[in-house]
Amino acid sequence: MTFERITIDPDVMGGAPCIRGYRIPVATVVAMFADGMTADEIVADLPDLTPEDITEALRYAAEAVRERTLPLRHTA
């Protein structure tokens, strides 16, 4: 899968995946969405972003955790 809007540069945000070279990490965008913000609200808070940036950040995050073993707490 190719991500045109996600950049990784060791000199920007310590190499964290960011949106289009901006100092806006994918993790920040995903956390905002997970906290219940809409794409429009995120774009209003971070006006350098577009709705397409948010979609790609979510797709990138989904791909990053796909096929991995995650530690989950067992419930009895």
Side-chain angles (χ1 to χ4, degrees), residues 7-64:
T7 56
I8 297 173
D9 181 341
D11 296 326
V12 177
M13 301 299 289
C18 292
I19 309 295
R20 294 186 288 122
Y22 291 120
R23 294 181 177 276
I24 303 172
V26 167
T28 297
V29 175
V30 171
M32 293 169 85
F33 193 80
D35 286 341
M37 293 180 73
T38 66
D40 290 337
E41 290 170 331
I42 295 169
V43 169
D45 272 8
L46 302 170
D48 288 328
L49 299 185
T50 66
E52 293 81 13
D53 293 329
I54 295 162
T55 298
E56 185 139 318
L58 294 170
R59 286 180 47 245
Y60 182 87
E63 189 63 27

